[in-house]
Amino acid sequence: MLITRLFHVLCFLAAATLLALGVMIALNPAGRELYLIDIFTLPLLSGAACFAVLMLLLRRHVACLMTFVACLAMGIGFWPTALPSGNPAATDVKPVRVVFANLWVNNKTPERLADWVTQTNPDIVVYIEDGPRAEERLMPLMKAQYPYHFETWDSHVFSRYPLTHAKGYIDHRNLHRVDVMAPQGRFTLLVTHFTRPWPFQPPAAQAKQRDFLADYLHRSTDEATLIVGDFNSAPHARLLDVLMKDQRLHVAASLGGTWPARLPVPLRVNIDNAFARDGLHLSPKAIGPYYGSDHLPIMVEVSPVRSKP
């Protein structure tokens, strides 16, 4: 029948499209518009896996095989950032627990972040994109728990440990740095917020911010450096993959995403992240609960690396 043949053709075209997307993701495209595809690898991989199962149940074997290959190709692009990396952690010190959150300026209940902070008991809380509600409702709660505070523009760092050499840089959005005088050892904390990608901003806007950060890292010799932020891109995407390779960074491993916060895990994009240089070890990234922002908060444990014998 014509309808049956048309359905077979549509299944084949859908599988071919997913396969083409998988190849693009595996190749990590650098094109001005194509680079957006690999940001959404996790949602695409989840959708392709569901489609492959559907084709198997419908006995569309060619479409199923094509989609399975597409999943493998997407996995090649996504999997490296889902695995722990970096030097092993020192075992004789307690790690520093760090929480990062993009509050979202339109968040009507930013104070709900304090519930997760109380539950997880981090040593450092970093948040960006605050607004009048956060200033009024969340900041007093943080100041009551943490004796040290650094604020620049819409970014805040609250710490149990002294903060020194604080400085804010402005390049389209934020780049702030501060030294954390933790008992486990001093380390530099960088807080950043990349702008939104094309088509919201020109294609070169994010790359310019990445290069600004890379230039700072190139001039800094501090191996004990932690970078947290909303990158509006994923670690497996070309934008951040280039940064990681050029600056010897490793990412806190994660299988889940943080945005949009209301969507289920397989459909969220992994844009809130923590990176470190070789002098620090990062635990896998924990993702916190919904608290009114369009981003979910994250938590990582930071340790000095094990000394070489």
Side-chain angles (χ1 to χ4, degrees), residues 28-243:
N28 229 348
R32 287 192 168 189
E33 287 76 33
L34 289 178
Y35 83 97
L36 286 172
I37 295 173
D38 54 7
I39 296 176
F40 297 95
T41 299
L42 182 57
L44 287 171
L45 176 58
S46 303
C50 292
F51 187 76
V53 172
L54 177 61
M55 291 299 97
L56 179 64
L57 294 175
L58 294 176
R59 298 187 179 183
R60 309 313 315 152
H61 298 127
V62 174
C64 178
L65 179 60
M66 292 172 65
T67 310
F68 178 73
V69 174
C71 290
L72 290 179
M74 293 178 190
I76 290 172
F78 169 76
W79 195 249
T81 59
L83 298 174
S85 60
N87 295 320
T91 57
D92 56 345
V93 295
K94 181 182 177 182
V96 177
R97 187 171 289 181
V98 180
V99 160
F100 169 80
N102 181 334
L103 296 183
W104 188 43
V105 69
N106 294 319
N107 187 349
K108 296 181 179 179
T109 56
E111 68 277 9
R112 288 173 57 188
L113 178 65
D115 296 336
W116 194 55
V117 169
T118 300
Q119 177 186 343
T120 55
N121 193 30
D123 302 297
I124 299 171
V125 177
V126 181
Y127 62 72
I128 62 173
E129 207 174 300
D130 72 340
R133 292 187 184 93
E135 296 277 345
E136 177 184 349
R137 303 175 188 174
L138 179 60
M139 187 183 295
L141 299 175
M142 295 295 97
K143 286 186 173 180
Q145 295 186 52
Y146 297 94
Y148 302 100
H149 176 217
F150 168 53
E151 173 184 357
T152 301
W153 201 14
D154 67 349
S155 297
H156 297 261
V157 179
F158 298 89
S159 174
R160 286 202 174 97
Y161 311 126
L163 303 174
T164 64
H165 300 97
K167 185 175 181 179
Y169 304 85
I170 304 298
D171 178 64
H172 296 281
R173 302 296 283 270
N174 307 29
L175 176 61
H176 306 149
R177 61 95 60 206
V178 64
D179 286 346
V180 179
M181 309 305 290
Q184 298 86 338
R186 181 202 61 81
F187 65 90
T188 296
L189 172 64
L190 300 180
V191 183
T192 189
H193 186 186
F194 282 21
T195 190
R196 293 184 296 175
W198 178 91
F200 301 100
Q201 297 292 335
Q206 282 190 327
K208 185 176 180 181
Q209 289 179 292
R210 177 200 62 197
D211 294 343
F212 185 85
L213 174 58
D215 182 63
Y216 171 87
L217 292 170
H218 181 72
R219 289 182 280 108
S220 171
T221 59
D222 191 355
E223 288 297 303
T225 297
L226 171 69
I227 309 166
V228 297
D230 169 12
F231 294 86
N232 272 303
S233 184
H236 49 267
R238 183 173 179 83
L239 180 83
L240 297 181
D241 183 61
V242 168
L243 179 70

